[in-house]
Amino acid sequence: MKFFVDSADLAAIEELADIGLVDGVTTNPSIIAKSGRDFKEVIAEICKLTDGHVSAEVVATDAEGMIEEGRILRKIANNVCVKLPLTMDGLKACNTLSRENVPTNVTLCFSPNQALLAAKCGASYISPFIGRLDDITLDGMELISDIRLIYDNYGYETEILAASIRNANHVKECALVGADVMTAPPAVIKGLANHVLTDKGLAAFLKDWETTGQSI
Ligand code: E4P
């Protein structure tokens, strides 16, 4: 499963990239607003930190506007992936940009049928939002497994990019049901390494090692 970082925090992305845990990056208008940075500038800088796709989202709501913005964003760097909302206009823009070989990420997906439409329109990625479904007491993970089944039934190549991931359990479940990619905030990715028995075991090993008086 590919790991994308859902952030515009350059230091945090770089830290994870140095460890080898960054296959790409996703952003959205809220993340960009939180960064307080110029949109195109920050996307250009993120694109230098990874060879993988960096999702940059359009803000127009009509297809023509989205296509125009998508072409502008795509000029920032070769690894920019144009993120489009799952509306009829977004799907139309996805179809046009995909035919121009522009990588596309169709976002704000909350149903299997929406994912089916994105695949039919040639999306490179579909972004189903797990956490936001869980927030309203629906089953976000069921959406991921439904889309997996549907895409496999018909051999769609659109990659399932599990988004709105809030905790380690979401990551594990995504891997179990076969999401192609998961995108999570840096803190969630860093937390995956934590286990109380790892800490306890390491402390005991180091204590015993000290009694040997040796060095490596
Ligand atoms: C994905 O591309 C989105 O930016 C993100 O995962 C949304 O997460 P949230 O629901 O925690 O805001």
Side-chain angles (χ1 to χ4, degrees):
M1 184 165 70
K2 290 183 213 165
F3 273 34
F4 285 9
V5 190
D6 199 31
S7 176
D9 180 338
L10 292 162
I13 296 166
E14 195 167 17
E15 185 189 353
L16 288 168
D18 284 346
I19 302 170
L21 290 175
V22 179
D23 300 306
V25 174
T26 51
T27 65
N28 62 38
S30 305
I31 288 172
I32 297 298
K34 194 176 154 203
S35 79
R37 299 275 320 272
D38 176 83
F39 181 28
K40 290 181 213 160
E41 250 176 51
V42 79
I43 292 293
E45 288 174 31
I46 295 171
C47 284
K48 289 186 189 141
L49 299 178
T50 175
D51 293 333
H53 282 142
V54 175
S55 288
E57 189 161 342
V58 301
V59 288
T61 52
D62 63 300
E64 282 317 308
M66 290 184 202
I67 293 165
E68 203 181 311
E69 289 181 358
R71 288 177 183 146
I72 292 170
L73 293 172
R74 180 69 184 149
K75 282 188 191 138
I76 296 173
N78 256 343
N79 52 338
V80 165
C81 176
V82 177
K83 206 172 182 190
L84 302 151
L86 211 155
T87 59
M88 276 299 171
D89 281 278
L91 291 168
K92 187 175 174 187
C94 175
N95 186 41
T96 301
L97 291 169
S98 297
R99 284 169 193 272
E100 294 173 9
N101 290 320
V102 172
T104 50
N105 174 0
V106 177
T107 189
L108 292 169
C109 171
F110 294 96
S111 79
N113 283 336
Q114 287 182 316
L116 184 54
L117 294 178
K120 288 187 71 65
C121 292
S124 315
Y125 302 96
I126 180 69
S127 286
F129 278 40
I130 298 169
R132 293 191 193 189
L133 280 170
D134 289 356
D135 287 347
I136 57 164
T137 68
L138 292 175
D139 188 346
M141 208 51 64
E142 186 178 278
L143 174 60
I144 305 292
S145 46
D146 283 352
I147 299 172
R148 179 75 285 153
L149 184 62
I150 290 167
Y151 281 9
D152 289 349
N153 279 348
Y154 298 98
Y156 285 121
E157 286 176 8
T158 301
E159 292 188 58
I160 302 172
L161 197 174
S164 191
I165 283 183
R166 307 274 174 76
N167 55 53
N169 208 37
H170 280 156
V171 179
K172 181 192 79 176
E173 294 291 325
C174 280
L176 285 172
V177 302
D180 299 291
V181 191
M182 74 92 200
T183 189
V188 171
I189 297 177
K190 284 169 82 173
L192 297 177
N194 297 340
H195 200 288
V196 64
L197 292 180
T198 305
D199 297 342
K200 201 177 155 195
L202 182 59
F205 284 159
L206 293 178
K207 196 168 166 238
D208 290 343
W209 176 253
E210 227 178 272
T211 66
T212 70
Q214 299 181 49
S215 61
I216 298 175

